[in-house]
Amino acid sequence: MNALSVKDLHVKINESHILHGVTFEVPTNKVTALLGRNGVGKSTTLRTIMGFYEGTGSVELNGKEILGMQTHKIVQSGVAFVPEDREVFASLTVKENLSLAARGKNNDDAYKAVYDLFPELDTRAAQQAGSLSGGQQQMVAIARALLNKNEILLVDEPTKGLAPKLVTEVADVLAKVAQTTTMLLVEQNLALVKRVAQHVIVMDQGRVVYQGGPENLHDDAWVHQMLGVSGGHK
Amino acid sequence: MDTFILIGITGIGLGALYFLVASGLSLIYGLMGVLNFAHGSFLTVGAFVGWWIAGKLGPDTSMIDFIIAMFVGGLAAGLFALLIEQLLITRLYDRHIDQALVTVGVSLVVGALLGGWFGNDLIMFPTPMWFLTAVNVGGAMIPADRIVYIATAIMLLIGNWILLKYTRIGLIIRAGVENRNMVNALGINVRRAFSTVFFLGGFAAGVGGVLVSVYSNGVSPLIAGSYLIYGFIVVVIGGMGSVPGSFLAAMMIGVIRQFANYYVTGLGDFVVVILLAGVLLIRPQGLLGKVRA
């Protein structure tokens, strides 16, 4: 069973053809890593699924077409998004960032679960999000997405620009979240991908060039050929 | 010293009028990126409706009558702003040139319609007798209407602060000013906040229109012109989307302009333009504005 099916997705931005018929599936209750060199269209794919860009083709969430829907309706139908560069609301407090995201009437349990995952956010609830470190802002961004019941979580480069210690912390959190949530993860950190992903998609020049299990990630030659990096870490 | 106090407080009174025009303009641009040249027509509609209500309430306008006229004028302008947003602006989001053309068109149409109906001459606005008196502040005799402008602007600022700080729609507006795509990405229809902001901006402009009519000794389809220009200057100096920034900038401009004009007649506008240029050079995002995400 697939939570998300993307079929023949084409996207043009300012006359540039970015995605050329992208097709892939995200299996339910698994972590799918979307990999590829910089600029191959990974983030564009996520942003098109989110409704930020217009595209042609099909994006189905549990069998229901969501391509062309407004972003807020896509989110309400169960797609949560953790953007690249966090995009927390810098002038709002941590608590305000979270309460903006919480959609249900009684969210006590959701807040408790999030604060269990990120105890630091509870102690910093009154602090402006803009004054947090990069790692703490990433926690806010992930926490916002986890406050609601989601069908799938789209996570765009969660460890980008973080110090190695924070990368480990974020990886721990994602590994925990992955136990209960379907996730489509764009990530350059292969160590993290190897740790959490059960399904791998590789893109090149706006197309999917590989879709399958993560076992090839342990093959240095394959990794070098597909991703242009060594298999250890990037 | 009396003169100093007099000029200072009348400058603050003038700044209060600028703030009433600019607060809505600032939120509308800050949240939606809409450069709204129709904002002056909201002010004019509010002024005419307020004038009409004040006339209907009786020949001797009491303070209560005036407050009712001001409130209804604000309400009418708010509803007019909402109508413009729903009919025209919603079709033009992210099309900035079209927005400018359409909103300029709206202001021309409203001005022409009202001019055709009422003429372009000033029509006296009925005001309470108290407005013609003066209040002693530290030895300076301050025209009483200035106190009303200042009090109204402060009440609007407080009302805005409560709305933005303590309500969910206020939270959405504050977040939307920073990054409206991300608000959508949290499952919130940010366009509902747009409509609220248009209504509130129109309401403030309408209230401002009534007070500008009192300040200008009458209502006319042409009263909005210079206030809209000053409104834009206030928004740029205060920072797009920052209501406290607009308040600070409006007060600064009102006071500086009054003092400059007192010492050299006609110097006020020049000093304000210099101030605008200085802020754009040193702090392009405005005094309390934030760099957009």
Side-chain angles (χ1 to χ4, degrees):
Chain A
M1 179 70 184
N2 296 318
L4 192 79
S5 296
V6 177
K7 287 177 199 150
D8 197 27
L9 185 63
H10 288 261
V11 173
K12 285 182 183 175
I13 300 172
N14 298 331
E15 302 304 316
S16 295
H17 203 153
I18 310 291
L19 300 185
H20 302 260
V22 168
T23 300
F24 63 83
E25 275 84 39
V26 178
T28 305
N29 293 327
K30 285 189 177 173
V31 175
T32 299
L34 184 56
L35 308 176
R37 294 176 170 92
N38 284 331
V40 298
K42 304 183 298 291
S43 291
T44 303
T45 302
L46 290 199
R47 289 187 163 262
T48 307
I49 294 168
M50 286 302 298
F52 291 144
Y53 301 135
E54 288 179 10
T56 59
S58 167
V59 178
E60 289 183 358
L61 177 70
N62 292 328
K64 186 188 161 201
E65 184 62 52
I66 59 169
L67 186 67
M69 279 169 62
Q70 291 172 301
T71 298
H72 70 276
K73 287 189 177 159
I74 292 171
V75 176
Q76 286 167 7
S77 64
V79 182
F81 182 49
V82 180
E84 191 182 1
D85 300 328
R86 277 76 83 172
E87 298 193 35
V88 297
F89 299 104
S91 67
L92 307 189
T93 64
V94 170
K95 175 78 180 171
E96 285 174 334
N97 266 276
L98 298 182
S99 61
L100 194 65
R103 292 198 295 276
K105 290 231 183 302
N106 189 352
N107 300 300
D108 292 350
D109 290 345
Y111 276 110
K112 190 178 172 307
V114 159
Y115 286 143
D116 283 346
L117 212 51
F118 305 109
E120 208 173 341
L121 296 188
D122 198 8
T123 56
R124 294 181 183 273
Q127 189 173 334
Q128 276 199 331
S131 66
L132 298 173
S133 69
Q136 289 160 344
Q137 288 189 10
Q138 189 58 270
M139 290 175 192
V140 174
I142 297 171
R144 279 190 316 202
L146 297 179
L147 272 170
N148 303 293
K149 262 197 150 182
N150 303 307
E151 301 293 326
I152 186 168
L153 184 60
L154 310 186
V155 187
D156 196 357
E157 301 213 30
T159 63
K160 184 181 168 191
L162 297 184
K165 183 177 173 290
L166 294 172
V167 170
T168 311
E169 278 181 32
V170 169
D172 289 345
V173 167
L174 287 177
K176 238 186 246 180
V177 172
Q179 292 168 6
T180 55
T181 310
T182 305
M183 195 187 302
L184 177 58
L185 171 70
V186 171
E187 179 57 65
Q188 299 276 10
N189 185 322
L190 278 186
L192 169 60
V193 171
K194 284 177 191 169
R195 184 174 161 194
V196 298
Q198 295 118 339
H199 185 68
V200 169
I201 298 160
V202 179
M203 287 181 68
D204 190 28
Q205 296 185 353
R207 292 177 176 84
V208 171
V209 292
Y210 172 81
Q211 191 169 179
E215 53 282 350
N216 284 336
L217 294 175
H218 300 279
D219 176 349
D220 278 1
W222 185 89
V223 167
H224 191 264
Q225 183 199 340
M226 288 297 207
L227 307 175
V229 293
S230 67
H233 42 272
K234 180 195 173 186
Chain B
M1 186 63 187
D2 299 358
T3 310
F4 186 83
I5 294 172
L6 177 66
I7 296 170
I9 294 182
T10 52
I12 291 172
L14 185 61
L17 295 179
Y18 294 152
F19 170 68
L20 289 170
V21 179
S23 57
L25 211 51
S26 177
L27 275 183
I28 288 170
Y29 188 84
L31 180 67
M32 301 178 243
V34 173
L35 203 53
N36 180 27
F37 290 100
H39 205 73
S41 64
F42 304 163
L43 183 147
T44 313
V45 166
F48 269 92
V49 172
W51 162 78
W52 184 72
I53 293 290
K56 288 283 171 201
L57 288 175
D60 300 320
T61 308
S62 68
M63 198 63 188
I64 298 289
D65 293 342
F66 183 79
I67 290 169
I68 291 171
M70 192 164 67
F71 183 76
V72 176
L75 211 56
L79 291 173
F80 179 65
L82 196 57
L83 186 73
I84 296 296
E85 193 255 349
Q86 290 291 314
L87 285 181
L88 301 173
I89 307 293
T90 49
R91 294 156 214 275
L92 301 173
Y93 283 122
D94 299 322
R95 289 164 58 185
H96 299 292
I97 293 173
D98 294 339
Q99 284 167 4
L101 291 174
V102 163
T103 54
V104 166
V106 167
S107 79
L108 292 175
V109 167
V110 169
L113 279 175
L114 290 172
W117 198 346
F118 297 103
N120 285 332
D121 294 333
L122 282 174
I123 307 168
M124 202 192 82
F125 198 106
T127 55
M129 289 302 288
W130 183 73
F131 277 28
L132 304 175
T133 62
V135 179
N136 188 331
V137 179
M141 298 306 289
I142 309 294
D145 60 329
R146 304 315 197 260
I147 309 293
V148 176
Y149 308 158
I150 296 167
T152 307
I154 290 172
M155 277 194 284
L156 188 86
L157 180 71
I158 293 170
N160 250 309
W161 178 71
I162 290 170
L163 178 98
L164 291 175
K165 183 77 186 164
Y166 294 106
T167 66
R168 177 149 179 92
I169 188 75
L171 185 60
I172 293 169
I173 291 169
R174 280 190 290 146
V177 166
E178 235 181 88
N179 185 346
R180 59 179 186 269
N181 276 341
M182 197 57 224
V183 175
N184 273 322
L186 294 179
I188 296 162
N189 185 359
V190 80
R191 289 200 175 176
R192 282 199 191 144
F194 289 7
S195 302
T196 307
V197 165
F198 247 88
F199 174 79
L200 293 174
F203 180 83
V207 167
V210 169
L211 296 179
V212 163
S213 303
V214 174
Y215 184 76
S216 310
N217 298 317
V219 62
S220 142
L222 306 176
I223 55 167
S226 69
Y227 288 92
L228 185 62
I229 293 169
Y230 270 98
F232 276 118
I233 293 174
V234 164
V235 170
V236 172
I237 293 180
M240 306 274 188
S242 169
V243 176
S246 290
F247 187 80
L248 184 66
M251 294 304 150
M252 272 173 60
I253 289 174
V255 171
I256 289 172
R257 192 165 174 242
Q258 286 295 87
F259 272 103
N261 279 335
Y262 175 75
Y263 288 109
V264 182
T265 309
L267 186 68
D269 291 345
F270 180 73
V271 172
V272 170
V273 171
I274 296 292
L275 179 69
L276 175 66
V279 169
L280 285 174
L281 282 172
I282 298 164
R283 199 176 157 80
Q285 72 270 35
L287 296 175
L288 300 185
K290 293 188 174 68
V291 180
R292 201 174 257 272

